Amino acid sequence: MADYDVIVIGSGPGGYVCAIRCAQLGLKTACVEARDTLGGTCLNIGCIPSKALLHATEMLHEAEHNFAEMGLKGKSPSVDWKQMLAYKDKTISQNTGGIEFLFKKNKIDWLKGWGSIPEAGKVKVGDETHNARHIVIASGSEPSALKGVEVDEKTVVTSTGALELGKVPRKMVVIGAGVIGLELGSVYRRLGAEVTVVEFLDQITPTMDGEVAKQFKRMLGKQGFEFVLGAAVQSVETKGGKATVHYKLRKDDSDASLEADTVLVSTGRRPFTDKLGLDALGVELERGMIKTDDHFRTNVAGIYAIGDAIKGPMLAHKAEDEGMACAEGIAGQHPHVNYGVIPSVIYTHPEVAAVGFTEEELKEQGRAYKVGKFPFMGNARAKANFAGEGFVKLLADAETDRILGAHIIGPMAGDLIHEICVAMEFGAAAEDIARTCHAHPTYSEAVREAALACGDGAIHV
Ligand code: FAD
Ligand code: NAI
């Protein structure tokens, strides 16, 4: 048994960042983690492994499609799936090992095992109970279940199983056209699988700016994705390592089915709060999420919650920001998370990135806005790099020119978006970006051109 200022439960991006910040601020800190390695969903079975597989398969796509035109002739690489998985696993362990190093460096104790909270001020891990003045729950999330669909993580998988399939499937059905489905669907499509995405709504990535979502669907279609939209999955049958997905088309209630070697269920995630003992403690939940105030405090004094376990987008960087702010609040500082400027990125090819409001949201608010758009076809660097598809779209207030949102589909969109995030944090106008000199030839020039398009006009269109 030990006494701590803070015990954080969960070592994902929310938990480990919170623990490190607490330690940096002089608080005696421990972090409870039940997994064999630190880093949570993100490092072990989420962001990092999926990006490793996306990177490897994007390299394959480059080699197959663009090398010859650049004068790089020869046989395309063949796929050694086992080696690709080994590369992914090495990437995971490099990153999880990195967090272990940071914990040692910051003198944070890793309490190994499942943590529960028998009463405020106490955390039980195995047979040991530790005292803590403050307890931060960062227990993350898990895949949502889908009625009629039983996951076995072999034939019918969640993202976890999809990151370590025994072989590349010939036919894959993805249920849900959200972030996981399109990222992991891209991995297997590039490896040669026939990928059909079945989505309940009539558009893919439903929260995305409508114009971007349409273009995104077109581009994925060109890559060979098939889409069945407006379809409610009824059940999935499995037999002899194959699956049949039964669905109903919502427009006419007709029944249809699809055969697959692998079915990926990616219809959202839900907060994971089992085993903590929250019921007995009286910690309030709201639609499965731990209810918190603006300072991440639950209704029980001394207990806080952050990340996927609470409201807001289920994103690693949102969890990290909350982890840092929660730690600073515990240390007596006055931090603030600006939820209006949290970027979201889909790491497909091309990438799709967004921050702030969509055009649909601005219309709904009845706000007068202007649109500055610039196609990557007008960007010299993008053309040279076979990346001329897509565009940057900037939304600014019609009167004040203040930037209200940005939506990018194109090369390095996930990096380009941050220039706009910083501008929005500073309350900048589109003209501020338009008047900032941007190096040539870079993809970033497309952001500037979109800003120019909010004023007197872009140059290269
Ligand atoms: P988690 O990362 O879920 O960590 C929670 C940890 O707490 C887990 O390790 C769990 O074992 C542990 N835990 C829970 N309860 C207990 C307990 N009682 N005792 C001990 N330990 C406990 N987000 C992005 O921003 N970018 C991406 O590219 C991205 N890609 C993703 C890809 C996939 C396939 C998935 C599934 C998710 C992805 N996400 C991505 C989402 C991101 O992983 C989550 O938003 C993020 O991990 C949430 O962090 P967290 O700290 O709240 O919780
Ligand atoms: P999602 O919320 O992104 O997408 C789920 C999709 O499934 C939606 O389009 C929804 O309309 C559809 N759907 C829901 N029920 C359905 C049903 N019964 N039949 C057919 N379609 C149905 O969820 P996803 O892809 O599972 O990802 C979960 C979360 O993980 C994301 O919301 C995101 O927060 C995080 N994530 C983030 C990534 C990133 O930042 N690049 C990558 C992967 C995951």
Side-chain angles (χ1 to χ4, degrees), residues 10 13-14 33-35 40-41 46-47 51 114-115 140 308 314-317:
E33 175 55 63
R35 257 179 230 285
T41 303
C47 327
K51 265 80 254 179
W114 285 102
D308 280 11
M314 287 185 168
L315 296 171
H317 41 285

Side-chain angles (χ1 to χ4, degrees), residues 9-16 32-35 37 39-48 50-51 113-116 138-141 159-160 163 180 183-184 269 272 274-276 306-309 313-319 345 347:
I9 302 180
S11 72
Y16 84 72
V32 190
E33 175 55 63
R35 257 179 230 285
T37 47
T41 303
C42 175
L43 273 63
N44 290 282
I45 50 165
C47 327
I48 299 304
S50 59
K51 265 80 254 179
W114 285 102
S116 59
S139 53
S141 62
S159 53
T160 306
L163 291 167
I180 291 182
E183 285 190 356
L184 292 177
R269 294 177 62 84
F272 177 76
D274 301 356
K275 305 190 190 193
L276 288 164
I306 56 172
D308 280 11
M314 287 185 168
L315 296 171
H317 41 285
K318 176 260 193 188
V345 181
Y347 298 86

Side-chain angles (χ1 to χ4, degrees), residues 47-324:
C47 327
I48 299 304
S50 59
K51 265 80 254 179
L53 292 181
L54 279 158
H55 176 66
T57 55
E58 195 175 325
M59 294 297 101
L60 175 68
H61 177 91
E62 277 292 295
E64 284 174 342
H65 293 86
N66 300 329
F67 272 19
E69 195 176 335
M70 290 187 282
L72 302 168
K73 297 267 167 88
K75 216 168 136 245
S76 287
S78 61
V79 175
D80 178 343
W81 178 234
K82 273 213 175 95
Q83 176 56 31
M84 200 178 280
L85 290 179
Y87 149 71
K88 179 239 351 169
D89 290 339
K90 187 172 164 203
T91 309
I92 295 173
S93 55
Q94 279 171 339
N95 281 279
T96 57
I99 307 298
E100 212 171 324
F101 165 78
L102 291 175
F103 271 20
K104 283 190 188 127
K105 182 177 160 207
N106 287 286
K107 302 192 171 40
I108 297 163
D109 290 340
W110 173 5
L111 307 176
K112 295 184 183 177
W114 285 102
S116 59
I117 312 172
E119 59 184 276
K122 296 202 184 303
V123 174
K124 189 165 184 283
V125 185
D127 297 333
E128 301 239 318
T129 301
H130 306 270
N131 293 323
R133 285 198 296 128
H134 307 273
I135 298 168
V136 181
I137 302 171
S139 53
S141 62
E142 61 177 356
S144 308
L146 186 57
K147 208 172 142 240
V149 183
E150 203 172 310
V151 169
D152 59 17
E153 294 296 9
K154 287 198 161 56
T155 308
V156 183
V157 297
T158 65
S159 53
T160 306
L163 291 167
E164 49 188 20
L165 292 181
K167 60 176 190 204
V168 175
R170 206 169 55 79
K171 281 190 183 183
M172 180 177 228
V173 169
V174 173
I175 308 178
V179 202
I180 291 182
L182 299 179
E183 285 190 356
L184 292 177
S186 289
V187 165
Y188 290 102
R189 177 68 208 118
R190 290 174 199 157
L191 291 170
E194 289 173 28
V195 177
T196 306
V197 184
V198 182
E199 163 63 44
F200 184 78
L201 298 175
D202 294 323
Q203 75 167 77
I204 68 166
T205 50
T207 53
M208 194 184 271
D209 185 273
E211 192 180 5
V212 178
K214 267 194 206 127
Q215 170 90 348
F216 188 31
K217 180 168 173 278
R218 261 200 305 275
M219 287 179 170
L220 292 172
K222 270 171 58 182
Q223 292 169 24
F225 270 82
E226 299 280 345
F227 291 99
V228 181
L229 302 182
V233 169
Q234 306 295 306
S235 63
V236 176
E237 271 179 274
T238 53
K239 203 173 172 191
K242 303 257 178 215
T244 311
V245 179
H246 299 282
Y247 61 88
K248 241 184 213 314
L249 280 176
R250 293 197 299 132
K251 61 175 189 243
D252 57 9
D253 239 14
S254 60
D255 292 310
S257 62
L258 285 163
E259 305 291 322
D261 303 302
T262 303
V263 177
L264 167 61
V265 185
S266 47
T267 51
R269 294 177 62 84
R270 63 181 188 93
F272 177 76
T273 54
D274 301 356
K275 305 190 190 193
L276 288 164
L278 298 187
D279 266 4
L281 260 177
V283 170
E284 260 184 76
L285 301 189
E286 201 173 35
R287 284 177 288 121
M289 296 172 274
I290 300 176
K291 197 170 163 189
T292 51
D293 67 8
D294 290 347
H295 306 285
F296 312 105
R297 293 180 295 215
T298 69
N299 61 313
V300 177
I303 301 182
Y304 308 75
I306 56 172
D308 280 11
I310 69 168
K311 64 180 182 291
M314 287 185 168
L315 296 171
H317 41 285
K318 176 260 193 188
E320 289 184 37
D321 276 24
E322 291 180 342
M324 236 182 314

